[in-house]
Amino acid sequence: MMQPDTDTDAISARILQILSRNGRIPNQQLAAEIGLSPSACLRRVQELERRGAITGYRAVIHPSAREAGFTAYVTVGLSRHSNEAQQAFERACLASWQVRECHNITGSVEYLLRVEVRDLEAYRRFHTEVLGAFPQISTITTHVVMNSPKDDRA
């Protein structure tokens, strides 16, 4: 994976800020908001893509359209703290469609997951059949999302 060049000037930072809110903004409108000509703005965006500062564009799908009305943040502690155990757990997360995010974190546990499924019963099955099947998990703590008054994920 390409590491982004972190040397970003104020204009490029503003472009990134606007694109993070609306990746489909037309170049003409983006250029107007930034105060550049459309061609200069397009060159800036293409350079940000080339440098790896912009890694892609995607549609943000409402969870109900994916039949994912239940969201939980799950902390996972491993009983073995080896590189092999972590890689095996990360592979299991990559293979699981229910795991929308997997973060290796510091603290008393190794991982924080965002899990989205249809309902509580579907989460119970995931908890038992996916997480429960992984032999090196020592602790699982589930935090059920009741409401999200702010969510800036794109």
Side-chain angles (χ1 to χ4, degrees), residues 2-10 12-13 16 47-48 51-54:
M2 174 189 264
Q3 290 295 319
D5 180 352
T6 57
D7 185 26
T8 303
D9 65 15
S12 293
L16 292 173
E47 179 61 17
L48 288 166
R51 287 188 359 222
I54 298 173

Side-chain angles (χ1 to χ4, degrees), residues 10-11 14-15 17-19 21-22 24-38 41:
I11 293 172
R14 181 80 175 118
I15 290 171
Q17 180 184 40
I18 292 168
L19 287 176
R21 284 194 322 266
N22 180 4
R24 293 186 61 164
I25 188 172
N27 184 59
Q28 293 271 120
Q29 185 179 344
L30 178 61
E33 287 191 36
I34 299 298
L36 293 174
S37 70
C41 184

